[in-house]
Amino acid sequence: NAGVTQTPKFQVLKTGQSMTLQCAQDMNHEYMSWYRQDPGMGLRLIHYSVGAGITDQGEVPNGYNVSRSTTEDFPLRLLSAAPSQTSVYFCASSTRGRGEKLFFGSGTQLSVL
Amino acid sequence: AQSVTQLGSHVSVSEGALVLLRCNYSSSVPPYLFWYVQYPNQGLQLLLKYTSAATLVKGINGFEAEFKKSETSFHLTKPSAHMSDAAEYFCAVSQAAGNKLTFGGGTRVLVKP
């Protein structure tokens, strides 16, 4: 059971570099989302998608782009990394609907120098 | 708008003692409430959820939580702590539509032998 798979697990970037965090799920979930986790702040929603071709902004979208071309994949792009984007990033998926259980990946720890 | 406040960023309990983690929320709609647990270097896992059915909700690993509308609270308890309960716990409230969650800042539980 793969569930939600995130790659890479660790990444170090220099300010201004770009990269893509990968997220894939094999549960045929319509809903996928990206959160960032910072100490004392819990998790904050970056972007989310309710199905292929549909994305929307969450609480902290600035500096991040997403796309959803397939049900399975939901990559997160950092176009020009900044030190403020140093964080742990989690991808999560669920069936569509309020109150559904979120399935989380194991996270990507990103450091921007 | 929704928000979640978790009282105490760190809690230390002795093995066999009561675990009590506090969560208060605000919500402009009838809330759906969740407790998630994060073990070291892992993603979050659902412990339990309240979605307007019974106010006392039982979850996995012996945890339970009680929804109290008058107090806008959803505190998490476990009668007897086990060493394996050492983790970080997050309370969350579902926004009005979809499956977007607003998380509290988290409470890290340390269990002493």
Side-chain angles (χ1 to χ4, degrees), chain A residues 31 35 37-45 48 57 59 90 94-95 97-107 109, chain B residues 29-32 34 36 38 41-44 46 49 51 88 90 94-101 103-106:
Chain A
Y31 181 85
Y35 288 85
Q37 181 181 21
D38 301 290
M41 303 184 74
L43 282 77
R44 293 178 292 168
L45 182 64
Y48 66 97
Q57 297 181 350
E59 181 185 354
F90 288 98
S94 73
T95 53
R98 190 180 181 218
E100 297 298 323
K101 171 183 175 181
L102 283 176
F103 292 79
F104 283 84
S106 58
Q109 188 169 323
Chain B
V29 298
Y32 285 9
F34 306 79
Y36 279 84
Q38 184 180 31
N41 301 314
Q42 294 185 25
L44 281 70
L46 180 67
K49 66 177 180 179
T51 57
E88 190 160 19
F90 293 93
S94 175
Q95 298 183 26
N99 207 12
K100 298 179 289 183
L101 298 186
F103 285 86

Side-chain angles (χ1 to χ4, degrees), chain B residues 66-83:
Chain B
E66 186 172 10
F67 171 68
K68 292 187 176 181
K69 183 178 179 180
S70 61
E71 300 177 7
T72 61
S73 69
F74 191 56
H75 302 330
L76 182 70
T77 60
K78 182 174 180 178
S80 178
H82 191 272
M83 297 299 292

Side-chain angles (χ1 to χ4, degrees), chain A residues 4-12 19 21-22 87-89 105-111, chain B residues 41-42:
Chain A
V4 179
T5 303
Q6 289 184 238
T7 55
K9 292 191 180 299
F10 302 94
Q11 184 69 51
V12 178
M19 79 160 296
L21 308 184
Q22 301 292 344
S87 186
V88 181
Y89 292 84
S106 58
T108 295
Q109 188 169 323
L110 175 67
S111 294
Chain B
N41 301 314
Q42 294 185 25

